[in-house]
Amino acid sequence: GKGNYRHFMEKELHEHPVVIGETLRQYVDPATRAVALPPLPFNPAIVPRLTVTACGSAFLAGLVGRYWIEGLARIPVEADVASELRYRDPPLAEGGAALLVSQSGETADTLAALRLLRAGGQSVLAVVNVDESSMARESDAALLTVAGPEIGVASTKAFTAQLSVLACLAIGMARARGTIDAVREAALTAALLELPGHAAVLLEDGATIHALAEEVAQARDVLFLGRGNLFPIAMEGALKLKEISYIHAEGYAAGEMKHGPIALIDPAVPVIALCPSGPLFEKTASNLQEAAARGGRIMAFTDALGAPALRRFAKHVIELPTVDPFVAPILHAMPVQLLAYHVAVLKGTDVDQPRNLAKSVTVE
Ligand code: M6R
């Protein structure tokens, strides 16, 4: 049941700390704090290419995985939504591997893509939440997320659990390829292991996001911006907001704004920015300043290091804990999901069963 929560989605949002912790416990050795993956169906040291495919939020988790795997393990990754990949007749690399991401393990397009990739000679690794699902059975190996049942149609804890698995996978593959040293690996696992604590603190402070939600609930259109591994989280924020509050939202790469969407900017369009300190901070901040100069109402998620610069032009600056940029997508996924939740509650929509949507899309 929902316990003391109003909606399953609210309950599932509050499970983030436990779910991230449990998922990491599967893939990080508690004694050495080093990533420990089960045997993979391909050798990461020599695999020439990875194809990542999935649908919806699971695809966005896969896109973050692409940034992580390419960045750390230096393996070329192609990523495409399953409904496109399956009809593209993509040329597949000899000896290549595929990575599928799915909460249910039953999504029709992702399952069809899995079969196509296997038939094309790819070794298939599935990141799934349901261990007796079709995808868990039909893949060559499965890495389970430990999210428990997710009832709300909007994916929340399954998404952060997928990211947690993909982060460990990227670190483990980087070690196998010799593209990461022990010091860096220890720093990354330490950053991952701190996330449950950060999640708990974030969930305790409901008031900040609630105040933001009251403003966002008035909007007709919302723009989410992020760069690098936060670009997929900007798209996740937009997807979640659309799906449960029915407000039109778009997630854009911050640097793409001036190639079109900047034309939309006016004070009525909130611009929600994911802009923590790190190597991309200055670039994103300057995109935001351009939007502010055109009357844009900037609401920025950042950290203590980024906040002072953003406060000069942003309407709201929300400080999250300072983390290694590698884990920023997991940290930022939570407030954007919470924001969508609060906006939907203010709008009075059916949060757990939004119109026109099914939890598991088993027809194409
Ligand atoms: O069960 P799956 O993870 O394969 O489902 C994929 C998508 O249908 C799903 O993530 C959908 O986008 C969610 N409703 C997003 O909140």
Side-chain angles (χ1 to χ4, degrees), residues 314-336:
K315 175 121 194 276
H316 299 282
V317 173
I318 300 101
E319 268 185 49
L320 303 177
T322 305
V323 296
D324 190 295
F326 180 79
V327 303
I330 308 182
L331 186 72
H332 283 73
M334 296 185 266
V336 298

Side-chain angles (χ1 to χ4, degrees), residues 258-326:
K258 60 176 80 176
H259 299 284
I262 200 163
L264 290 173
I265 302 282
D266 74 37
V269 182
V271 177
I272 300 176
L274 311 179
C275 188
S277 64
L280 301 173
F281 177 82
E282 300 295 336
K283 297 277 174 201
T284 308
S286 95
N287 299 137
L288 299 177
Q289 201 163 3
E290 285 160 9
R294 286 156 184 83
R297 196 155 30 117
I298 313 295
M299 305 174 175
F301 288 95
T302 185
D303 52 27
L305 294 173
L310 298 176
R311 283 220 174 84
R312 281 188 230 121
F313 56 82
K315 175 121 194 276
H316 299 282
V317 173
I318 300 101
E319 268 185 49
L320 303 177
T322 305
V323 296
D324 190 295
F326 180 79

Side-chain angles (χ1 to χ4, degrees), residues 54-59 101-108 110 127 135 150 152-156 158-159 162 236 239-240 243-244 354 357-361:
C55 300
S57 285
F59 174 67
V101 187
S102 177
Q103 187 282 127
S104 62
E106 303 296 346
T107 301
T110 312
V127 175
M135 283 179 224
E150 192 180 65
V153 163
S155 184
T156 53
F159 182 75
Q162 286 159 354
E236 164 67 2
L239 174 60
K240 214 105 293 179
E243 154 170 68
I244 59 172
L357 285 166
K359 181 64 184 162
S360 183
V361 183

Side-chain angles (χ1 to χ4, degrees), residues 57-278:
S57 285
F59 174 67
L60 299 175
L63 274 185
V64 176
R66 171 166 73 173
Y67 282 89
W68 282 336
I69 294 166
E70 290 196 336
L72 277 189
R74 315 301 300 152
I75 301 169
V77 177
E78 114 144 278
D80 199 3
V81 289
S83 56
E84 283 301 311
L85 185 94
R86 63 180 291 197
Y87 295 118
R88 256 174 59 211
D89 191 17
L92 298 168
E94 172 102 37
L99 181 60
L100 278 92
V101 187
S102 177
Q103 187 282 127
S104 62
E106 303 296 346
T107 301
D109 281 319
T110 312
L111 191 56
L114 180 159
R115 291 173 180 155
L116 175 124
L117 290 160
R118 282 201 83 195
Q122 307 295 289
S123 309
V124 176
L125 179 63
V127 175
V128 284
N129 194 42
V130 180
D131 66 355
E132 64 277 22
S133 61
S134 305
M135 283 179 224
R137 274 198 314 272
E138 293 190 34
S139 55
D140 297 302
L143 298 177
L144 295 177
T145 47
V146 193
E150 192 180 65
I151 310 294
V153 163
S155 184
T156 53
K157 60 176 180 165
F159 182 75
T160 48
Q162 286 159 354
L163 292 178
S164 302
V165 172
L166 293 167
C168 292
L169 180 66
I171 295 169
M173 295 201 301
R175 191 201 305 139
R177 287 174 83 84
T179 53
I180 189 176
D181 63 31
V183 175
R184 182 78 182 127
E185 177 173 353
L188 296 182
T189 45
L192 285 170
L193 293 168
E194 277 171 14
L195 286 170
H198 293 322
V201 171
L202 217 138
L203 287 162
E204 264 164 41
D205 170 32
T208 309
I209 304 283
H210 198 267
L212 207 62
E214 289 191 325
E215 226 175 292
V216 173
Q218 312 301 315
R220 210 188 58 182
D221 309 282
V222 178
L223 207 54
F224 285 79
L225 299 179
R227 248 179 209 269
N229 64 20
L230 288 167
F231 166 39
I233 305 303
M235 290 193 275
E236 164 67 2
L239 174 60
K240 214 105 293 179
L241 191 68
K242 283 188 265 221
E243 154 170 68
I244 59 172
S245 78
Y246 314 146
I247 294 174
H248 169 239
E250 289 193 54
Y252 252 91
E256 269 292 291
M257 199 186 50
K258 60 176 80 176
H259 299 284
I262 200 163
L264 290 173
I265 302 282
D266 74 37
V269 182
V271 177
I272 300 176
L274 311 179
C275 188
S277 64

